[in-house]
Amino acid sequence: MSSSEKGPKFEHPSRRQVIVTALGTGFALAVRPVSAEVITTPADGLDTAEVKIPTASGDIPAYRAMPAKAKKKALPVVLVVHEIFGVHEHIKDICRRLAKLGYFAVAPELYARQGDVSQMTDAKEILSNVVSKVSDAQVISDLDATVAWAKTTGAADVGRLGITGFCWGGRFVWLYAAKSDALKAGVAWYGQLIGEKDDLHPKQPIDIAASIKAPVLGLYGGQDQGNPKEAVDQMNKALVAGGKASKRSEIRVYPDAGHAFLADYRPSYRQEPAEDGWKRMQAWFKKNGVA
Protein backbone atom coordinates (compact mmCIF):
# COMPACT_ATOMS: atom_id res chain seq x y z
CA MET A 1 0.00 0.00 0.00
CA SER A 2 1.38 3.40 -0.96
CA SER A 3 1.74 6.30 1.49
CA SER A 4 -1.09 8.12 -0.30
CA GLU A 5 -3.39 5.09 0.19
CA LYS A 6 -2.56 5.04 3.90
CA GLY A 7 -3.61 8.68 4.14
CA PRO A 8 -1.66 11.88 4.83
CA LYS A 9 0.35 12.20 8.01
CA PHE A 10 -0.29 15.68 9.30
CA GLU A 11 -0.62 17.34 12.67
CA HIS A 12 -4.31 17.82 13.29
CA PRO A 13 -5.23 21.52 13.60
CA SER A 14 -6.55 20.99 17.12
CA ARG A 15 -3.07 19.90 18.29
CA ARG A 16 -1.24 23.02 17.20
CA GLN A 17 -1.99 26.10 19.27
CA VAL A 18 -2.74 29.53 17.83
CA ILE A 19 0.26 31.86 18.11
CA VAL A 20 -0.97 34.81 16.04
CA THR A 21 -3.81 36.47 17.92
CA ALA A 22 -4.11 39.77 16.04
CA LEU A 23 -3.93 40.96 12.46
CA GLY A 24 -1.13 43.17 11.19
CA THR A 25 -1.74 46.69 9.92
CA GLY A 26 -1.08 48.09 6.47
CA PHE A 27 0.55 46.06 3.72
CA ALA A 28 2.83 43.11 4.40
CA LEU A 29 6.50 44.13 4.39
CA ALA A 30 7.28 41.60 1.66
CA VAL A 31 5.14 43.50 -0.86
CA ARG A 32 6.51 46.99 -0.27
CA PRO A 33 6.90 49.45 -1.88
CA VAL A 34 3.21 49.56 -2.72
CA SER A 35 2.21 50.45 -6.28
CA ALA A 36 0.76 53.88 -7.03
CA GLU A 37 -2.24 52.10 -8.57
CA VAL A 38 -3.37 50.69 -5.23
CA ILE A 39 -7.13 50.81 -4.73
CA THR A 40 -8.40 52.00 -1.36
CA THR A 41 -12.02 51.34 -0.52
CA PRO A 42 -13.32 53.66 2.22
CA ALA A 43 -15.22 52.17 5.14
CA ASP A 44 -17.98 54.77 5.11
CA GLY A 45 -21.36 53.06 5.12
CA LEU A 46 -19.73 49.87 6.37
CA ASP A 47 -19.33 48.04 9.64
CA THR A 48 -15.76 46.73 9.72
CA ALA A 49 -13.94 44.99 12.54
CA GLU A 50 -11.23 42.57 13.52
CA VAL A 51 -13.01 39.55 14.95
CA LYS A 52 -12.08 36.27 16.61
CA ILE A 53 -13.01 32.90 15.15
CA PRO A 54 -13.27 30.13 17.78
CA THR A 55 -11.43 26.90 16.94
CA ALA A 56 -10.45 23.84 18.95
CA SER A 57 -6.93 25.23 19.42
CA GLY A 58 -7.82 28.83 20.20
CA ASP A 59 -9.30 31.89 18.54
CA ILE A 60 -7.86 32.94 15.18
CA PRO A 61 -8.12 36.59 14.09
CA ALA A 62 -10.13 37.62 11.04
CA TYR A 63 -11.25 40.76 9.26
CA ARG A 64 -14.98 41.22 8.75
CA ALA A 65 -16.80 43.84 6.66
CA MET A 66 -20.53 44.29 6.09
CA PRO A 67 -23.00 47.08 5.32
CA ALA A 68 -23.54 49.29 8.36
CA LYS A 69 -27.28 49.61 7.92
CA ALA A 70 -29.10 46.62 9.32
CA LYS A 71 -31.40 44.76 6.98
CA LYS A 72 -34.44 42.66 7.81
CA LYS A 73 -32.75 39.66 6.25
CA ALA A 74 -29.30 38.33 7.04
CA LEU A 75 -26.60 38.98 4.45
CA PRO A 76 -25.10 36.49 1.99
CA VAL A 77 -21.63 35.39 3.10
CA VAL A 78 -18.35 35.39 1.19
CA LEU A 79 -15.27 33.75 2.67
CA VAL A 80 -12.15 35.58 1.49
CA VAL A 81 -9.04 33.41 1.39
CA HIS A 82 -5.81 35.40 1.47
CA GLU A 83 -2.64 35.12 -0.61
CA ILE A 84 0.69 34.01 0.83
CA PHE A 85 0.99 37.42 2.51
CA GLY A 86 -1.83 36.78 4.97
CA VAL A 87 -4.67 39.12 5.86
CA HIS A 88 -2.93 42.39 5.04
CA GLU A 89 -4.42 45.63 3.70
CA HIS A 90 -5.21 44.33 0.22
CA ILE A 91 -7.30 41.45 1.57
CA LYS A 92 -9.07 43.80 3.96
CA ASP A 93 -9.85 46.06 1.03
CA ILE A 94 -11.29 43.11 -0.90
CA CYS A 95 -13.61 42.50 2.06
CA ARG A 96 -14.72 46.15 2.01
CA ARG A 97 -15.38 45.99 -1.74
CA LEU A 98 -17.58 42.97 -1.19
CA ALA A 99 -19.34 44.65 1.72
CA LYS A 100 -20.13 47.61 -0.55
CA LEU A 101 -21.96 45.09 -2.75
CA GLY A 102 -24.07 43.91 0.19
CA TYR A 103 -22.09 40.92 1.36
CA PHE A 104 -20.97 39.77 4.80
CA ALA A 105 -17.30 39.29 3.90
CA VAL A 106 -14.83 37.65 6.26
CA ALA A 107 -11.14 36.83 5.84
CA PRO A 108 -9.67 34.53 8.52
CA GLU A 109 -5.92 34.55 9.18
CA LEU A 110 -5.12 31.00 8.11
CA TYR A 111 -1.49 31.04 9.26
CA ALA A 112 -2.43 31.77 12.88
CA ARG A 113 -0.79 28.58 14.14
CA GLN A 114 2.39 28.86 12.08
CA GLY A 115 3.49 32.50 12.32
CA ASP A 116 3.01 36.17 11.51
CA VAL A 117 4.03 36.80 7.90
CA SER A 118 3.20 40.51 7.94
CA GLN A 119 6.67 41.41 9.24
CA MET A 120 8.63 39.08 6.97
CA THR A 121 10.43 40.86 4.15
CA ASP A 122 11.22 37.89 1.91
CA ALA A 123 8.50 35.92 0.07
CA LYS A 124 10.78 32.85 -0.02
CA GLU A 125 11.05 32.99 3.78
CA ILE A 126 7.25 33.14 4.02
CA LEU A 127 6.88 30.12 1.78
CA SER A 128 9.50 27.98 3.50
CA ASN A 129 8.95 28.95 7.14
CA VAL A 130 5.18 29.36 7.22
CA VAL A 131 3.18 28.44 4.13
CA SER A 132 4.80 25.04 3.62
CA LYS A 133 3.84 24.08 7.19
CA VAL A 134 0.14 24.92 6.85
CA SER A 135 -1.80 21.74 6.15
CA ASP A 136 -4.80 21.60 3.85
CA ALA A 137 -6.75 19.96 6.67
CA GLN A 138 -6.04 22.93 8.94
CA VAL A 139 -7.25 25.44 6.35
CA ILE A 140 -10.45 23.51 5.58
CA SER A 141 -11.14 23.19 9.31
CA ASP A 142 -10.63 26.92 9.86
CA LEU A 143 -12.89 27.82 6.96
CA ASP A 144 -15.59 25.59 8.43
CA ALA A 145 -15.07 27.29 11.79
CA THR A 146 -15.45 30.69 10.13
CA VAL A 147 -18.77 29.66 8.62
CA ALA A 148 -19.95 28.36 12.01
CA TRP A 149 -18.92 31.65 13.65
CA ALA A 150 -20.66 33.72 10.97
CA LYS A 151 -23.88 31.85 11.63
CA THR A 152 -23.80 32.88 15.30
CA THR A 153 -23.63 36.61 14.48
CA GLY A 154 -27.23 36.83 13.34
CA ALA A 155 -26.12 39.06 10.46
CA ALA A 156 -24.97 36.30 8.11
CA ASP A 157 -27.04 33.93 6.02
CA VAL A 158 -24.76 30.92 5.60
CA GLY A 159 -27.40 29.36 3.39
CA ARG A 160 -26.06 31.76 0.76
CA LEU A 161 -22.38 30.94 1.13
CA GLY A 162 -19.67 31.80 -1.37
CA ILE A 163 -15.88 31.74 -1.32
CA THR A 164 -13.20 33.61 -3.22
CA GLY A 165 -9.45 33.38 -2.92
CA PHE A 166 -6.26 34.68 -4.48
CA CYS A 167 -3.06 32.85 -5.47
CA TRP A 168 -2.48 30.55 -2.45
CA GLY A 169 -6.09 31.19 -1.51
CA GLY A 170 -7.31 30.50 -5.04
CA ARG A 171 -6.18 26.91 -4.72
CA PHE A 172 -8.29 26.54 -1.59
CA VAL A 173 -11.40 27.71 -3.39
CA TRP A 174 -11.21 24.52 -5.46
CA LEU A 175 -10.39 22.34 -2.46
CA TYR A 176 -13.15 23.81 -0.31
CA ALA A 177 -15.65 23.31 -3.12
CA ALA A 178 -14.89 19.59 -2.87
CA LYS A 179 -15.29 19.50 0.93
CA SER A 180 -18.15 21.81 1.89
CA ASP A 181 -21.76 20.70 1.65
CA ALA A 182 -22.95 24.25 2.43
CA LEU A 183 -21.05 26.12 -0.29
CA LYS A 184 -23.10 27.55 -3.17
CA ALA A 185 -20.28 28.83 -5.40
CA GLY A 186 -16.62 29.74 -5.53
CA VAL A 187 -14.40 32.11 -7.50
CA ALA A 188 -10.70 31.22 -7.72
CA TRP A 189 -8.28 33.92 -8.79
CA TYR A 190 -5.14 32.34 -10.31
CA GLY A 191 -4.93 29.52 -7.78
CA GLN A 192 -2.56 26.64 -8.49
CA LEU A 193 -4.24 23.82 -10.42
CA ILE A 194 -1.50 21.20 -10.70
CA GLY A 195 1.54 20.81 -8.50
CA GLU A 196 3.59 18.69 -6.14
CA LYS A 197 1.89 16.83 -3.30
CA ASP A 198 3.05 15.83 0.17
CA ASP A 199 1.61 14.69 3.48
CA LEU A 200 0.31 18.14 4.38
CA HIS A 201 -0.99 18.81 0.87
CA PRO A 202 -2.19 15.43 -0.41
CA LYS A 203 -4.32 16.68 -3.31
CA GLN A 204 -4.27 19.43 -5.88
CA PRO A 205 -7.34 20.95 -7.60
CA ILE A 206 -6.84 18.71 -10.64
CA ASP A 207 -7.31 15.69 -8.35
CA ILE A 208 -10.71 16.80 -7.02
CA ALA A 209 -12.05 18.64 -10.09
CA ALA A 210 -14.50 15.90 -10.99
CA SER A 211 -15.99 15.72 -7.49
CA ILE A 212 -16.53 19.34 -6.45
CA LYS A 213 -19.89 19.99 -4.81
CA ALA A 214 -20.30 23.65 -5.83
CA PRO A 215 -19.51 25.31 -9.17
CA VAL A 216 -16.27 27.29 -9.37
CA LEU A 217 -15.34 30.14 -11.66
CA GLY A 218 -11.59 30.19 -12.27
CA LEU A 219 -9.98 33.46 -13.34
CA TYR A 220 -6.48 32.96 -14.75
CA GLY A 221 -3.79 34.84 -16.63
CA GLY A 222 -2.52 33.47 -19.91
CA GLN A 223 1.01 34.59 -19.01
CA ASP A 224 0.98 32.97 -15.57
CA GLN A 225 3.97 30.62 -15.52
CA GLY A 226 2.55 28.84 -12.48
CA ASN A 227 -0.55 27.82 -14.40
CA PRO A 228 0.50 27.21 -18.00
CA LYS A 229 -1.98 26.48 -20.77
CA GLU A 230 -1.42 22.74 -20.40
CA ALA A 231 -2.54 22.87 -16.76
CA VAL A 232 -5.65 24.87 -17.60
CA ASP A 233 -6.49 22.46 -20.43
CA GLN A 234 -6.14 19.47 -18.12
CA MET A 235 -8.35 21.13 -15.52
CA ASN A 236 -11.02 21.89 -18.09
CA LYS A 237 -11.04 18.26 -19.24
CA ALA A 238 -11.36 17.05 -15.65
CA LEU A 239 -14.26 19.42 -15.02
CA VAL A 240 -16.12 18.33 -18.15
CA ALA A 241 -15.72 14.68 -17.13
CA GLY A 242 -16.98 15.33 -13.60
CA GLY A 243 -20.31 15.67 -11.86
CA LYS A 244 -23.00 18.32 -12.05
CA ALA A 245 -21.11 21.04 -10.17
CA SER A 246 -17.94 20.31 -12.13
CA LYS A 247 -19.72 20.64 -15.46
CA ARG A 248 -21.21 23.96 -14.34
CA SER A 249 -17.75 25.32 -13.52
CA GLU A 250 -15.85 27.61 -15.87
CA ILE A 251 -12.30 28.87 -16.36
CA ARG A 252 -11.75 32.28 -17.91
CA VAL A 253 -8.25 32.98 -19.20
CA TYR A 254 -7.03 36.53 -19.87
CA PRO A 255 -4.35 36.07 -22.57
CA ASP A 256 -2.26 39.14 -21.79
CA ALA A 257 -2.43 38.95 -17.99
CA GLY A 258 0.03 37.20 -15.73
CA HIS A 259 -0.22 36.02 -12.16
CA ALA A 260 -1.89 38.27 -9.53
CA PHE A 261 -3.53 40.56 -12.07
CA LEU A 262 -6.11 41.72 -9.49
CA ALA A 263 -3.39 42.72 -7.02
CA ASP A 264 -3.53 46.49 -7.59
CA TYR A 265 -0.82 47.09 -4.98
CA ARG A 266 1.75 45.16 -7.08
CA PRO A 267 3.30 45.65 -10.55
CA SER A 268 1.39 42.55 -11.71
CA TYR A 269 -1.92 44.48 -11.72
CA ARG A 270 -3.78 44.67 -15.02
CA GLN A 271 -6.80 46.94 -14.91
CA GLU A 272 -8.94 45.51 -17.74
CA PRO A 273 -8.84 41.83 -16.73
CA ALA A 274 -9.11 42.83 -13.06
CA GLU A 275 -12.28 44.82 -13.66
CA ASP A 276 -13.74 42.19 -15.97
CA GLY A 277 -12.98 39.42 -13.48
CA TRP A 278 -14.60 41.39 -10.66
CA LYS A 279 -17.79 41.78 -12.72
CA ARG A 280 -17.78 38.11 -13.59
CA MET A 281 -17.37 37.19 -9.92
CA GLN A 282 -20.44 39.23 -8.99
CA ALA A 283 -22.49 37.66 -11.77
CA TRP A 284 -21.28 34.18 -10.78
CA PHE A 285 -22.34 34.60 -7.17
CA LYS A 286 -25.76 35.91 -8.18
CA LYS A 287 -26.25 33.13 -10.70
CA ASN A 288 -25.47 30.47 -8.13
CA GLY A 289 -27.43 31.73 -5.13
CA VAL A 290 -24.85 33.84 -3.29
CA ALA A 291 -26.79 37.12 -3.36
Side-chain angles (χ1 to χ4, degrees):
M1 182 180 290
S2 69
S3 60
S4 61
E5 290 173 324
K6 293 178 182 177
K9 299 177 181 179
F10 55 80
E11 184 175 21
H12 193 276
S14 65
R15 297 173 190 161
R16 182 186 282 267
Q17 294 301 306
V18 171
I19 60 175
V20 178
T21 58
L23 300 176
T25 59
F27 289 90
L29 292 181
V31 300
R32 298 178 185 177
V34 175
S35 170
E37 294 185 280
V38 65
I39 295 172
T40 301
T41 304
D44 58 293
L46 301 179
D47 179 349
T48 64
E50 180 171 330
V51 298
K52 303 295 183 183
I53 308 296
T55 76
S57 54
D59 293 350
I60 63 173
Y63 184 81
R64 188 267 296 143
M66 57 186 281
K69 293 183 178 180
K71 293 185 177 182
K72 293 182 180 179
K73 293 184 178 180
L75 302 167
V77 180
V78 177
L79 299 174
V80 179
V81 190
H82 58 72
E83 323 143 293
I84 68 165
F85 306 113
V87 183
H88 67 132
E89 182 55 33
H90 176 64
I91 298 302
K92 295 176 184 178
D93 201 90
I94 293 292
C95 289
R96 292 194 294 273
R97 296 177 205 179
L98 287 165
K100 293 279 187 179
L101 297 174
Y103 291 105
F104 181 105
V106 55
E109 178 50 74
L110 299 167
Y111 303 154
R113 296 173 189 79
Q114 281 74 28
D116 179 7
V117 300
S118 67
Q119 300 304 304
M120 295 182 180
T121 58
D122 185 357
K124 291 182 179 180
E125 177 188 3
I126 293 174
L127 288 169
S128 62
N129 293 348
V130 176
V131 177
S132 65
K133 299 177 182 179
V134 180
S135 74
D136 291 348
Q138 174 185 300
V139 173
I140 298 299
S141 177
D142 284 349
L143 291 173
D144 283 343
T146 303
V147 175
W149 166 83
K151 186 176 182 179
T152 69
T153 66
D157 178 4
V158 297
R160 295 182 288 165
L161 177 66
I163 186 172
T164 190
F166 311 88
C167 185
W168 181 83
R171 173 177 174 269
F172 280 105
V173 170
W174 294 103
L175 297 184
Y176 197 64
K179 291 289 186 179
S180 174
D181 292 320
L183 190 69
K184 294 293 186 182
V187 179
W189 298 79
Y190 32 83
Q192 184 181 39
L193 297 172
I194 299 174
E196 296 181 1
K197 293 176 278 188
D198 56 37
D199 287 344
L200 296 183
H201 316 96
K203 293 185 178 181
Q204 294 294 351
I206 189 69
D207 301 313
I208 52 83
S211 60
I212 58 176
K213 302 174 183 179
V216 174
L217 170 64
L219 300 169
Y220 288 79
Q223 304 302 312
D224 185 350
Q225 299 302 310
N227 288 295
K229 183 179 183 300
E230 294 77 12
V232 174
D233 289 344
Q234 288 182 50
M235 189 68 175
N236 273 321
K237 289 180 180 178
L239 291 170
V240 171
K244 184 177 179 181
S246 300
K247 287 182 170 64
R248 289 166 55 204
S249 298
E250 300 176 10
I251 297 181
R252 167 71 176 177
V253 177
Y254 297 95
D256 298 326
H259 189 73
F261 59 84
L262 186 76
D264 48 83
Y265 66 99
R266 296 164 66 183
S268 58
Y269 177 63
R270 295 295 180 269
Q271 182 177 356
E272 289 188 11
E275 292 179 349
D276 183 77
W278 191 257
K279 291 177 182 177
R280 289 176 184 272
M281 179 184 70
Q282 295 176 60
W284 189 258
F285 281 152
K286 291 179 181 179
K287 175 183 177 182
N288 290 290
V290 189

